[in-house]
Amino acid sequence: MNFVNLTPHAIILNDGTVFQPSGNVARVSATFTDFENGICRQQFGDVTGLPDPQEGTMFIVSALVLAATDRDDVVAPATGHPQCVRNDKGQIMSVPGFIGK
């Protein structure tokens, strides 16, 4: 399986595998309502930067982009998984794998 990283940063798996950014970033558009009492609403729209499906290829995207698409060739880093490796500041250093649909 070929993985293409459509995030702006390297994705590191716990086994040491590194997926460098491809240079293309998949994003989801957002619009916002006016603030009322300091609160606004956010609505998500179209996904951009996601190539057409390619046989044997999985696209690594953010969890937000994953949630906005119904494609089965799109995955996001499993950042909420209990096997994530974190540094002493709690920042994620590596993930055990990916989440798909």
Side-chain angles (χ1 to χ4, degrees), residues 38-83:
I39 300 169
C40 74
R41 303 272 185 247
Q42 182 178 17
Q43 286 189 295
F44 297 106
D46 296 330
V47 172
T48 60
L50 185 59
D52 290 335
Q54 299 173 20
E55 179 138 357
T57 299
M58 297 295 283
F59 296 103
I60 304 168
V61 299
S62 69
L64 192 58
V65 172
L66 176 65
T69 183
D70 290 326
R71 290 176 41 176
D72 61 3
D73 63 339
V74 176
V75 296
T79 57
H81 196 280
Q83 293 178 8

